Amino acid sequence: MKYLDEFQNPEIARRLLDDIRSTVTRPWALMEVCGGQTHTIIRHGIDQLLPEQVELIHGPGCPVCVTPLEVIDKALEIAARPDVIFCSFGDMLRVPGSDRDLFQVRSRGGDVRVVYSPLDALKIAQQNPHREVVFFGIGFETTAPPNAMTVYQARKLGIPNFSLLVSHVRVPPAIEAIMSSPDCRVQAFLAAGHVCSVMGMGEYPELAARHRVPIVVTGFEPLDILEGIRRTVRQLERGEHTVDNAYPRAVRSEGNPAARAMLADVFEVTDRSWRGIGTIPASGWRLSERYRDYDAEYRFSVDGITTREPAACRSGEVLQGFIKPHECEAFGTLCTPRTPLGATMVSSEGACAAYYLYRRLGTTPIRQEASPVV
């Protein structure tokens, strides 16, 4: 790969679309399991360029969006304490809790800081030995390794005033939960390439075989996604259901062994609640017993928080692919980026945010036969 523009070439996009059109003979429903892929699809109108038989369903691939409300409320409670410096990536500050968000905690005197790496939070802990420093560790398998490394370093360097509020989730159990739903319409998956670059593809063949669905590992640029769709449609038309790597420039079958070893040392698999979806067995990580002293939830005793989602918010249905964002009655009216009801409207990877940003406000998509402007 020399230039990013090479993966946005309109002529190659046209050829891929022609191949998809000539291959497809019946309706198929594909789910992308990555919020970054969702934004690329909506931004470039890929779903509107595809033949009408190919439907793209947006899955629970936004890590901010699936962070459960009770974890957000735990973060808000910890961040409001006067002895705490609460560190987070910026995309978590606008995510609504039950009655406030981290921006509001900061406006009321809480020491909430945006950092660009968990190691930045560890450095703040070193510089402020008399205060507790907490990093909000959320996300899929892609963000878990640096968070694990930071906890490992805190223990190795003997930094006792650092802790991690953990809400990490795993993709394969989410696919299992989606396919096990009686309302599932998904017939194939575009798997997230960055997740597989860390974890490899070892967990996918069993899922593909048991549920008889193709799983194609896909990148994030327009041509990556079109190639992933092309390979998926070919499998569907042939009645195949295998795991295919359409992102070989970044993904190896074994993933990243060093990152996986760090995860195995610092974390252990646990059940996790997903916002708007509920608890999925073995779908997340928590700190292992060896590192339990660095668990902010344990350190600050914030167990037992109960929450209730806003009645008007249908983000759970959006995350499961049951509805498109504009089919929610609150979309664009009660729920906007300035007045969000759920995380899917404020996250940079949220489906609702993509639909609002790129003006998908409910009009019928126009299927284009002309050359794509990628």
Side-chain angles (χ1 to χ4, degrees), residues 280-316:
I280 301 176
S283 66
W285 280 304
R286 65 182 178 189
L287 289 173
S288 64
E289 189 64 34
R290 185 181 177 196
Y291 296 91
R292 192 60 47 84
D293 289 344
Y294 294 92
D295 189 333
E297 189 171 345
Y298 171 77
R299 182 175 295 191
F300 293 96
S301 302
V302 287
D303 295 331
I305 289 179
T306 58
T307 59
R308 179 178 297 177
E309 296 280 355
C313 181
R314 301 178 66 186
S315 60

PDB file of all heavy atoms in Angstrom, residues 280-316:
ATOM      1  N   ILE A 280     -24.326 -10.854  27.291  1.00  0.00           N
ATOM      2  CA  ILE A 280     -23.906 -11.895  26.366  1.00  0.00           C
ATOM      3  C   ILE A 280     -22.833 -12.711  27.066  1.00  0.00           C
ATOM      4  O   ILE A 280     -21.811 -12.164  27.494  1.00  0.00           O
ATOM      5  CB  ILE A 280     -23.360 -11.304  25.054  1.00  0.00           C
ATOM      6  CG1 ILE A 280     -24.419 -10.438  24.355  1.00  0.00           C
ATOM      7  CG2 ILE A 280     -22.890 -12.418  24.121  1.00  0.00           C
ATOM      8  CD1 ILE A 280     -23.922  -9.747  23.092  1.00  0.00           C
ATOM      9  N   PRO A 281     -23.028 -14.021  27.204  1.00  0.00           N
ATOM     10  CA  PRO A 281     -22.043 -14.851  27.917  1.00  0.00           C
ATOM     11  C   PRO A 281     -20.666 -14.803  27.270  1.00  0.00           C
ATOM     12  O   PRO A 281     -20.532 -14.811  26.040  1.00  0.00           O
ATOM     13  CB  PRO A 281     -22.642 -16.260  27.837  1.00  0.00           C
ATOM     14  CG  PRO A 281     -24.115 -16.042  27.624  1.00  0.00           C
ATOM     15  CD  PRO A 281     -24.212 -14.797  26.786  1.00  0.00           C
ATOM     16  N   ALA A 282     -19.645 -14.727  28.127  1.00  0.00           N
ATOM     17  CA  ALA A 282     -18.239 -14.786  27.705  1.00  0.00           C
ATOM     18  C   ALA A 282     -17.900 -13.758  26.627  1.00  0.00           C
ATOM     19  O   ALA A 282     -17.044 -13.993  25.775  1.00  0.00           O
ATOM     20  CB  ALA A 282     -17.884 -16.193  27.210  1.00  0.00           C
ATOM     21  N   SER A 283     -18.558 -12.615  26.679  1.00  0.00           N
ATOM     22  CA  SER A 283     -18.407 -11.614  25.617  1.00  0.00           C
ATOM     23  C   SER A 283     -17.493 -10.462  25.999  1.00  0.00           C
ATOM     24  O   SER A 283     -17.415  -9.475  25.274  1.00  0.00           O
ATOM     25  CB  SER A 283     -19.771 -11.048  25.229  1.00  0.00           C
ATOM     26  OG  SER A 283     -20.329 -10.310  26.312  1.00  0.00           O
ATOM     27  N   GLY A 284     -16.789 -10.566  27.121  1.00  0.00           N
ATOM     28  CA  GLY A 284     -15.937  -9.465  27.518  1.00  0.00           C
ATOM     29  C   GLY A 284     -14.747  -9.914  28.325  1.00  0.00           C
ATOM     30  O   GLY A 284     -14.489 -11.111  28.499  1.00  0.00           O
ATOM     31  N   TRP A 285     -13.996  -8.929  28.790  1.00  0.00           N
ATOM     32  CA  TRP A 285     -12.843  -9.171  29.647  1.00  0.00           C
ATOM     33  C   TRP A 285     -12.979  -8.385  30.937  1.00  0.00           C
ATOM     34  O   TRP A 285     -13.627  -7.332  30.985  1.00  0.00           O
ATOM     35  CB  TRP A 285     -11.551  -8.733  28.950  1.00  0.00           C
ATOM     36  CG  TRP A 285     -11.009  -9.692  27.965  1.00  0.00           C
ATOM     37  CD1 TRP A 285     -10.673 -10.991  28.165  1.00  0.00           C
ATOM     38  CD2 TRP A 285     -10.691  -9.422  26.591  1.00  0.00           C
ATOM     39  NE1 TRP A 285     -10.171 -11.558  27.011  1.00  0.00           N
ATOM     40  CE2 TRP A 285     -10.166 -10.610  26.027  1.00  0.00           C
ATOM     41  CE3 TRP A 285     -10.786  -8.296  25.783  1.00  0.00           C
ATOM     42  CZ2 TRP A 285      -9.749 -10.699  24.711  1.00  0.00           C
ATOM     43  CZ3 TRP A 285     -10.379  -8.380  24.480  1.00  0.00           C
ATOM     44  CH2 TRP A 285      -9.865  -9.573  23.942  1.00  0.00           C
ATOM     45  N   ARG A 286     -12.353  -8.887  31.966  1.00  0.00           N
ATOM     46  CA  ARG A 286     -12.127  -8.150  33.207  1.00  0.00           C
ATOM     47  C   ARG A 286     -10.688  -8.421  33.633  1.00  0.00           C
ATOM     48  O   ARG A 286     -10.055  -9.366  33.133  1.00  0.00           O
ATOM     49  CB  ARG A 286     -13.101  -8.605  34.291  1.00  0.00           C
ATOM     50  CG  ARG A 286     -12.904 -10.046  34.734  1.00  0.00           C
ATOM     51  CD  ARG A 286     -13.933 -10.436  35.784  1.00  0.00           C
ATOM     52  NE  ARG A 286     -13.766 -11.849  36.162  1.00  0.00           N
ATOM     53  CZ  ARG A 286     -14.622 -12.510  36.933  1.00  0.00           C
ATOM     54  NH1 ARG A 286     -15.700 -11.889  37.398  1.00  0.00           N
ATOM     55  NH2 ARG A 286     -14.391 -13.780  37.225  1.00  0.00           N
ATOM     56  N   LEU A 287     -10.177  -7.625  34.554  1.00  0.00           N
ATOM     57  CA  LEU A 287      -8.821  -7.855  35.036  1.00  0.00           C
ATOM     58  C   LEU A 287      -8.742  -9.179  35.784  1.00  0.00           C
ATOM     59  O   LEU A 287      -9.636  -9.523  36.563  1.00  0.00           O
ATOM     60  CB  LEU A 287      -8.393  -6.707  35.951  1.00  0.00           C
ATOM     61  CG  LEU A 287      -8.131  -5.361  35.241  1.00  0.00           C
ATOM     62  CD1 LEU A 287      -7.890  -4.266  36.254  1.00  0.00           C
ATOM     63  CD2 LEU A 287      -6.944  -5.465  34.290  1.00  0.00           C
ATOM     64  N   SER A 288      -7.689  -9.923  35.525  1.00  0.00           N
ATOM     65  CA  SER A 288      -7.506 -11.212  36.186  1.00  0.00           C
ATOM     66  C   SER A 288      -7.164 -10.997  37.662  1.00  0.00           C
ATOM     67  O   SER A 288      -6.858  -9.885  38.100  1.00  0.00           O
ATOM     68  CB  SER A 288      -6.398 -12.008  35.494  1.00  0.00           C
ATOM     69  OG  SER A 288      -5.157 -11.332  35.625  1.00  0.00           O
ATOM     70  N   GLU A 289      -7.208 -12.072  38.406  1.00  0.00           N
ATOM     71  CA  GLU A 289      -6.972 -11.986  39.854  1.00  0.00           C
ATOM     72  C   GLU A 289      -5.616 -11.362  40.167  1.00  0.00           C
ATOM     73  O   GLU A 289      -5.472 -10.612  41.132  1.00  0.00           O
ATOM     74  CB  GLU A 289      -7.066 -13.391  40.471  1.00  0.00           C
ATOM     75  CG  GLU A 289      -7.049 -13.401  41.982  1.00  0.00           C
ATOM     76  CD  GLU A 289      -8.260 -12.697  42.583  1.00  0.00           C
ATOM     77  OE1 GLU A 289      -9.354 -12.773  41.996  1.00  0.00           O
ATOM     78  OE2 GLU A 289      -8.088 -12.060  43.657  1.00  0.00           O
ATOM     79  N   ARG A 290      -4.653 -11.639  39.341  1.00  0.00           N
ATOM     80  CA  ARG A 290      -3.298 -11.115  39.556  1.00  0.00           C
ATOM     81  C   ARG A 290      -3.263  -9.594  39.516  1.00  0.00           C
ATOM     82  O   ARG A 290      -2.421  -8.957  40.171  1.00  0.00           O
ATOM     83  CB  ARG A 290      -2.378 -11.703  38.487  1.00  0.00           C
ATOM     84  CG  ARG A 290      -0.914 -11.359  38.639  1.00  0.00           C
ATOM     85  CD  ARG A 290      -0.121 -11.988  37.508  1.00  0.00           C
ATOM     86  NE  ARG A 290       1.282 -11.624  37.571  1.00  0.00           N
ATOM     87  CZ  ARG A 290       2.132 -11.767  36.578  1.00  0.00           C
ATOM     88  NH1 ARG A 290       1.702 -12.292  35.431  1.00  0.00           N
ATOM     89  NH2 ARG A 290       3.406 -11.431  36.691  1.00  0.00           N
ATOM     90  N   TYR A 291      -4.179  -8.991  38.756  1.00  0.00           N
ATOM     91  CA  TYR A 291      -4.193  -7.533  38.588  1.00  0.00           C
ATOM     92  C   TYR A 291      -5.439  -6.894  39.201  1.00  0.00           C
ATOM     93  O   TYR A 291      -5.746  -5.736  38.904  1.00  0.00           O
ATOM     94  CB  TYR A 291      -4.112  -7.183  37.098  1.00  0.00           C
ATOM     95  CG  TYR A 291      -2.825  -7.623  36.445  1.00  0.00           C
ATOM     96  CD1 TYR A 291      -2.718  -8.880  35.838  1.00  0.00           C
ATOM     97  CD2 TYR A 291      -1.708  -6.797  36.438  1.00  0.00           C
ATOM     98  CE1 TYR A 291      -1.539  -9.293  35.243  1.00  0.00           C
ATOM     99  CE2 TYR A 291      -0.520  -7.204  35.839  1.00  0.00           C
ATOM    100  CZ  TYR A 291      -0.441  -8.451  35.248  1.00  0.00           C
ATOM    101  OH  TYR A 291       0.734  -8.851  34.669  1.00  0.00           O
ATOM    102  N   ARG A 292      -6.134  -7.619  40.046  1.00  0.00           N
ATOM    103  CA  ARG A 292      -7.417  -7.137  40.570  1.00  0.00           C
ATOM    104  C   ARG A 292      -7.283  -5.829  41.350  1.00  0.00           C
ATOM    105  O   ARG A 292      -8.215  -5.015  41.387  1.00  0.00           O
ATOM    106  CB  ARG A 292      -8.049  -8.230  41.435  1.00  0.00           C
ATOM    107  CG  ARG A 292      -9.511  -8.002  41.810  1.00  0.00           C
ATOM    108  CD  ARG A 292     -10.432  -7.891  40.594  1.00  0.00           C
ATOM    109  NE  ARG A 292     -10.219  -8.915  39.591  1.00  0.00           N
ATOM    110  CZ  ARG A 292     -10.754 -10.138  39.639  1.00  0.00           C
ATOM    111  NH1 ARG A 292     -11.520 -10.488  40.657  1.00  0.00           N
ATOM    112  NH2 ARG A 292     -10.523 -11.009  38.662  1.00  0.00           N
ATOM    113  N   ASP A 293      -6.129  -5.578  41.968  1.00  0.00           N
ATOM    114  CA  ASP A 293      -5.940  -4.335  42.725  1.00  0.00           C
ATOM    115  C   ASP A 293      -5.991  -3.104  41.835  1.00  0.00           C
ATOM    116  O   ASP A 293      -6.135  -1.982  42.333  1.00  0.00           O
ATOM    117  CB  ASP A 293      -4.607  -4.361  43.477  1.00  0.00           C
ATOM    118  CG  ASP A 293      -4.608  -5.332  44.644  1.00  0.00           C
ATOM    119  OD1 ASP A 293      -5.719  -5.744  45.061  1.00  0.00           O
ATOM    120  OD2 ASP A 293      -3.517  -5.684  45.119  1.00  0.00           O
ATOM    121  N   TYR A 294      -5.866  -3.300  40.521  1.00  0.00           N
ATOM    122  CA  TYR A 294      -5.907  -2.168  39.588  1.00  0.00           C
ATOM    123  C   TYR A 294      -7.281  -2.005  38.940  1.00  0.00           C
ATOM    124  O   TYR A 294      -7.426  -1.241  37.983  1.00  0.00           O
ATOM    125  CB  TYR A 294      -4.824  -2.340  38.520  1.00  0.00           C
ATOM    126  CG  TYR A 294      -3.435  -2.255  39.098  1.00  0.00           C
ATOM    127  CD1 TYR A 294      -2.777  -3.407  39.523  1.00  0.00           C
ATOM    128  CD2 TYR A 294      -2.799  -1.026  39.255  1.00  0.00           C
ATOM    129  CE1 TYR A 294      -1.503  -3.332  40.085  1.00  0.00           C
ATOM    130  CE2 TYR A 294      -1.527  -0.943  39.808  1.00  0.00           C
ATOM    131  CZ  TYR A 294      -0.886  -2.096  40.228  1.00  0.00           C
ATOM    132  OH  TYR A 294       0.363  -2.013  40.788  1.00  0.00           O
ATOM    133  N   ASP A 295      -8.268  -2.705  39.454  1.00  0.00           N
ATOM    134  CA  ASP A 295      -9.640  -2.627  38.945  1.00  0.00           C
ATOM    135  C   ASP A 295     -10.374  -1.497  39.662  1.00  0.00           C
ATOM    136  O   ASP A 295     -10.625  -1.565  40.859  1.00  0.00           O
ATOM    137  CB  ASP A 295     -10.342  -3.962  39.190  1.00  0.00           C
ATOM    138  CG  ASP A 295     -11.697  -4.054  38.505  1.00  0.00           C
ATOM    139  OD1 ASP A 295     -12.322  -3.000  38.283  1.00  0.00           O
ATOM    140  OD2 ASP A 295     -12.124  -5.177  38.197  1.00  0.00           O
ATOM    141  N   ALA A 296     -10.720  -0.429  38.914  1.00  0.00           N
ATOM    142  CA  ALA A 296     -11.367   0.730  39.527  1.00  0.00           C
ATOM    143  C   ALA A 296     -12.730   0.384  40.099  1.00  0.00           C
ATOM    144  O   ALA A 296     -13.140   0.933  41.132  1.00  0.00           O
ATOM    145  CB  ALA A 296     -11.500   1.853  38.498  1.00  0.00           C
ATOM    146  N   GLU A 297     -13.433  -0.526  39.450  1.00  0.00           N
ATOM    147  CA  GLU A 297     -14.749  -0.929  39.965  1.00  0.00           C
ATOM    148  C   GLU A 297     -14.611  -1.575  41.344  1.00  0.00           C
ATOM    149  O   GLU A 297     -15.426  -1.332  42.240  1.00  0.00           O
ATOM    150  CB  GLU A 297     -15.402  -1.894  38.978  1.00  0.00           C
ATOM    151  CG  GLU A 297     -16.850  -2.212  39.274  1.00  0.00           C
ATOM    152  CD  GLU A 297     -17.506  -2.986  38.147  1.00  0.00           C
ATOM    153  OE1 GLU A 297     -16.930  -3.026  37.039  1.00  0.00           O
ATOM    154  OE2 GLU A 297     -18.589  -3.546  38.386  1.00  0.00           O
ATOM    155  N   TYR A 298     -13.577  -2.366  41.503  1.00  0.00           N
ATOM    156  CA  TYR A 298     -13.297  -3.005  42.791  1.00  0.00           C
ATOM    157  C   TYR A 298     -12.761  -1.988  43.795  1.00  0.00           C
ATOM    158  O   TYR A 298     -13.166  -1.949  44.957  1.00  0.00           O
ATOM    159  CB  TYR A 298     -12.293  -4.131  42.564  1.00  0.00           C
ATOM    160  CG  TYR A 298     -11.725  -4.756  43.807  1.00  0.00           C
ATOM    161  CD1 TYR A 298     -12.457  -5.667  44.562  1.00  0.00           C
ATOM    162  CD2 TYR A 298     -10.421  -4.449  44.216  1.00  0.00           C
ATOM    163  CE1 TYR A 298     -11.916  -6.254  45.696  1.00  0.00           C
ATOM    164  CE2 TYR A 298      -9.879  -5.037  45.345  1.00  0.00           C
ATOM    165  CZ  TYR A 298     -10.629  -5.924  46.079  1.00  0.00           C
ATOM    166  OH  TYR A 298     -10.089  -6.500  47.210  1.00  0.00           O
ATOM    167  N   ARG A 299     -11.855  -1.118  43.349  1.00  0.00           N
ATOM    168  CA  ARG A 299     -11.213  -0.153  44.253  1.00  0.00           C
ATOM    169  C   ARG A 299     -12.193   0.857  44.818  1.00  0.00           C
ATOM    170  O   ARG A 299     -12.101   1.250  45.986  1.00  0.00           O
ATOM    171  CB  ARG A 299     -10.081   0.570  43.510  1.00  0.00           C
ATOM    172  CG  ARG A 299      -9.306   1.562  44.362  1.00  0.00           C
ATOM    173  CD  ARG A 299      -8.128   2.146  43.621  1.00  0.00           C
ATOM    174  NE  ARG A 299      -7.106   1.137  43.287  1.00  0.00           N
ATOM    175  CZ  ARG A 299      -5.892   1.426  42.822  1.00  0.00           C
ATOM    176  NH1 ARG A 299      -5.550   2.691  42.634  1.00  0.00           N
ATOM    177  NH2 ARG A 299      -5.029   0.466  42.538  1.00  0.00           N
ATOM    178  N   PHE A 300     -13.155   1.296  43.998  1.00  0.00           N
ATOM    179  CA  PHE A 300     -14.074   2.354  44.429  1.00  0.00           C
ATOM    180  C   PHE A 300     -15.441   1.821  44.844  1.00  0.00           C
ATOM    181  O   PHE A 300     -16.346   2.612  45.143  1.00  0.00           O
ATOM    182  CB  PHE A 300     -14.222   3.393  43.320  1.00  0.00           C
ATOM    183  CG  PHE A 300     -12.968   4.178  43.064  1.00  0.00           C
ATOM    184  CD1 PHE A 300     -12.090   3.796  42.052  1.00  0.00           C
ATOM    185  CD2 PHE A 300     -12.644   5.263  43.844  1.00  0.00           C
ATOM    186  CE1 PHE A 300     -10.932   4.489  41.823  1.00  0.00           C
ATOM    187  CE2 PHE A 300     -11.481   5.986  43.614  1.00  0.00           C
ATOM    188  CZ  PHE A 300     -10.613   5.594  42.604  1.00  0.00           C
ATOM    189  N   SER A 301     -15.604   0.504  44.862  1.00  0.00           N
ATOM    190  CA  SER A 301     -16.844  -0.123  45.355  1.00  0.00           C
ATOM    191  C   SER A 301     -18.088   0.493  44.722  1.00  0.00           C
ATOM    192  O   SER A 301     -18.974   1.013  45.417  1.00  0.00           O
ATOM    193  CB  SER A 301     -16.918  -0.020  46.884  1.00  0.00           C
ATOM    194  OG  SER A 301     -15.802  -0.641  47.485  1.00  0.00           O
ATOM    195  N   VAL A 302     -18.156   0.448  43.407  1.00  0.00           N
ATOM    196  CA  VAL A 302     -19.303   1.014  42.697  1.00  0.00           C
ATOM    197  C   VAL A 302     -20.215  -0.078  42.153  1.00  0.00           C
ATOM    198  O   VAL A 302     -20.870   0.082  41.117  1.00  0.00           O
ATOM    199  CB  VAL A 302     -18.849   1.958  41.556  1.00  0.00           C
ATOM    200  CG1 VAL A 302     -18.307   3.260  42.101  1.00  0.00           C
ATOM    201  CG2 VAL A 302     -17.808   1.273  40.656  1.00  0.00           C
ATOM    202  N   ASP A 303     -20.271  -1.200  42.829  1.00  0.00           N
ATOM    203  CA  ASP A 303     -21.210  -2.258  42.454  1.00  0.00           C
ATOM    204  C   ASP A 303     -22.635  -1.842  42.787  1.00  0.00           C
ATOM    205  O   ASP A 303     -22.878  -0.939  43.596  1.00  0.00           O
ATOM    206  CB  ASP A 303     -20.884  -3.557  43.200  1.00  0.00           C
ATOM    207  CG  ASP A 303     -19.534  -4.119  42.790  1.00  0.00           C
ATOM    208  OD1 ASP A 303     -19.139  -3.875  41.636  1.00  0.00           O
ATOM    209  OD2 ASP A 303     -18.889  -4.774  43.627  1.00  0.00           O
ATOM    210  N   GLY A 304     -23.590  -2.526  42.192  1.00  0.00           N
ATOM    211  CA  GLY A 304     -24.984  -2.364  42.588  1.00  0.00           C
ATOM    212  C   GLY A 304     -25.716  -1.206  41.963  1.00  0.00           C
ATOM    213  O   GLY A 304     -26.841  -0.897  42.357  1.00  0.00           O
ATOM    214  N   ILE A 305     -25.119  -0.529  40.970  1.00  0.00           N
ATOM    215  CA  ILE A 305     -25.816   0.565  40.297  1.00  0.00           C
ATOM    216  C   ILE A 305     -26.849  -0.018  39.342  1.00  0.00           C
ATOM    217  O   ILE A 305     -26.559  -0.906  38.541  1.00  0.00           O
ATOM    218  CB  ILE A 305     -24.819   1.456  39.527  1.00  0.00           C
ATOM    219  CG1 ILE A 305     -23.975   2.255  40.523  1.00  0.00           C
ATOM    220  CG2 ILE A 305     -25.549   2.405  38.571  1.00  0.00           C
ATOM    221  CD1 ILE A 305     -22.944   3.146  39.868  1.00  0.00           C
ATOM    222  N   THR A 306     -28.073   0.463  39.442  1.00  0.00           N
ATOM    223  CA  THR A 306     -29.143   0.032  38.530  1.00  0.00           C
ATOM    224  C   THR A 306     -29.562   1.208  37.660  1.00  0.00           C
ATOM    225  O   THR A 306     -29.553   2.358  38.104  1.00  0.00           O
ATOM    226  CB  THR A 306     -30.351  -0.500  39.313  1.00  0.00           C
ATOM    227  OG1 THR A 306     -30.832   0.530  40.204  1.00  0.00           O
ATOM    228  CG2 THR A 306     -29.972  -1.724  40.131  1.00  0.00           C
ATOM    229  N   THR A 307     -29.928   0.920  36.439  1.00  0.00           N
ATOM    230  CA  THR A 307     -30.237   1.980  35.478  1.00  0.00           C
ATOM    231  C   THR A 307     -31.461   1.607  34.659  1.00  0.00           C
ATOM    232  O   THR A 307     -31.916   0.466  34.658  1.00  0.00           O
ATOM    233  CB  THR A 307     -29.049   2.196  34.522  1.00  0.00           C
ATOM    234  OG1 THR A 307     -28.789   0.965  33.837  1.00  0.00           O
ATOM    235  CG2 THR A 307     -27.797   2.618  35.271  1.00  0.00           C
ATOM    236  N   ARG A 308     -31.939   2.597  33.913  1.00  0.00           N
ATOM    237  CA  ARG A 308     -33.048   2.373  32.988  1.00  0.00           C
ATOM    238  C   ARG A 308     -32.813   3.233  31.754  1.00  0.00           C
ATOM    239  O   ARG A 308     -32.599   4.436  31.853  1.00  0.00           O
ATOM    240  CB  ARG A 308     -34.385   2.736  33.645  1.00  0.00           C
ATOM    241  CG  ARG A 308     -35.590   2.554  32.718  1.00  0.00           C
ATOM    242  CD  ARG A 308     -36.889   2.884  33.421  1.00  0.00           C
ATOM    243  NE  ARG A 308     -37.137   1.984  34.547  1.00  0.00           N
ATOM    244  CZ  ARG A 308     -38.194   2.100  35.356  1.00  0.00           C
ATOM    245  NH1 ARG A 308     -39.073   3.073  35.160  1.00  0.00           N
ATOM    246  NH2 ARG A 308     -38.359   1.247  36.337  1.00  0.00           N
ATOM    247  N   GLU A 309     -32.860   2.596  30.612  1.00  0.00           N
ATOM    248  CA  GLU A 309     -32.675   3.321  29.356  1.00  0.00           C
ATOM    249  C   GLU A 309     -33.852   4.252  29.082  1.00  0.00           C
ATOM    250  O   GLU A 309     -34.991   3.948  29.462  1.00  0.00           O
ATOM    251  CB  GLU A 309     -32.543   2.333  28.183  1.00  0.00           C
ATOM    252  CG  GLU A 309     -31.327   1.437  28.244  1.00  0.00           C
ATOM    253  CD  GLU A 309     -30.058   2.118  27.768  1.00  0.00           C
ATOM    254  OE1 GLU A 309     -30.147   3.277  27.300  1.00  0.00           O
ATOM    255  OE2 GLU A 309     -28.993   1.490  27.868  1.00  0.00           O
ATOM    256  N   PRO A 310     -33.608   5.398  28.412  1.00  0.00           N
ATOM    257  CA  PRO A 310     -34.722   6.270  28.021  1.00  0.00           C
ATOM    258  C   PRO A 310     -35.720   5.519  27.148  1.00  0.00           C
ATOM    259  O   PRO A 310     -35.340   4.816  26.207  1.00  0.00           O
ATOM    260  CB  PRO A 310     -34.036   7.394  27.233  1.00  0.00           C
ATOM    261  CG  PRO A 310     -32.616   7.373  27.684  1.00  0.00           C
ATOM    262  CD  PRO A 310     -32.302   5.944  28.014  1.00  0.00           C
ATOM    263  N   ALA A 311     -36.994   5.659  27.464  1.00  0.00           N
ATOM    264  CA  ALA A 311     -38.022   4.898  26.751  1.00  0.00           C
ATOM    265  C   ALA A 311     -38.050   5.218  25.259  1.00  0.00           C
ATOM    266  O   ALA A 311     -38.378   4.361  24.432  1.00  0.00           O
ATOM    267  CB  ALA A 311     -39.387   5.171  27.378  1.00  0.00           C
ATOM    268  N   ALA A 312     -37.703   6.462  24.902  1.00  0.00           N
ATOM    269  CA  ALA A 312     -37.785   6.877  23.505  1.00  0.00           C
ATOM    270  C   ALA A 312     -36.602   6.413  22.669  1.00  0.00           C
ATOM    271  O   ALA A 312     -36.632   6.500  21.441  1.00  0.00           O
ATOM    272  CB  ALA A 312     -37.895   8.404  23.421  1.00  0.00           C
ATOM    273  N   CYS A 313     -35.552   5.921  23.329  1.00  0.00           N
ATOM    274  CA  CYS A 313     -34.329   5.543  22.604  1.00  0.00           C
ATOM    275  C   CYS A 313     -34.418   4.098  22.139  1.00  0.00           C
ATOM    276  O   CYS A 313     -34.623   3.182  22.948  1.00  0.00           O
ATOM    277  CB  CYS A 313     -33.113   5.740  23.508  1.00  0.00           C
ATOM    278  SG  CYS A 313     -31.547   5.323  22.701  1.00  0.00           S
ATOM    279  N   ARG A 314     -34.223   3.872  20.847  1.00  0.00           N
ATOM    280  CA  ARG A 314     -34.274   2.527  20.267  1.00  0.00           C
ATOM    281  C   ARG A 314     -32.896   2.074  19.790  1.00  0.00           C
ATOM    282  O   ARG A 314     -32.774   1.294  18.858  1.00  0.00           O
ATOM    283  CB  ARG A 314     -35.281   2.507  19.110  1.00  0.00           C
ATOM    284  CG  ARG A 314     -36.697   2.892  19.536  1.00  0.00           C
ATOM    285  CD  ARG A 314     -37.667   2.900  18.359  1.00  0.00           C
ATOM    286  NE  ARG A 314     -37.861   1.564  17.816  1.00  0.00           N
ATOM    287  CZ  ARG A 314     -38.584   1.314  16.709  1.00  0.00           C
ATOM    288  NH1 ARG A 314     -39.131   2.328  16.027  1.00  0.00           N
ATOM    289  NH2 ARG A 314     -38.720   0.075  16.282  1.00  0.00           N
ATOM    290  N   SER A 315     -31.848   2.591  20.472  1.00  0.00           N
ATOM    291  CA  SER A 315     -30.490   2.279  20.032  1.00  0.00           C
ATOM    292  C   SER A 315     -30.203   0.779  20.094  1.00  0.00           C
ATOM    293  O   SER A 315     -29.415   0.261  19.295  1.00  0.00           O
ATOM    294  CB  SER A 315     -29.464   3.038  20.870  1.00  0.00           C
ATOM    295  OG  SER A 315     -29.563   2.695  22.245  1.00  0.00           O
ATOM    296  N   GLY A 316     -30.836   0.071  21.043  1.00  0.00           N
ATOM    297  CA  GLY A 316     -30.632  -1.371  21.111  1.00  0.00           C
ATOM    298  C   GLY A 316     -31.083  -2.072  19.849  1.00  0.00           C
ATOM    299  O   GLY A 316     -30.425  -3.004  19.371  1.00  0.00           O
TER     300      GLY A 316
END
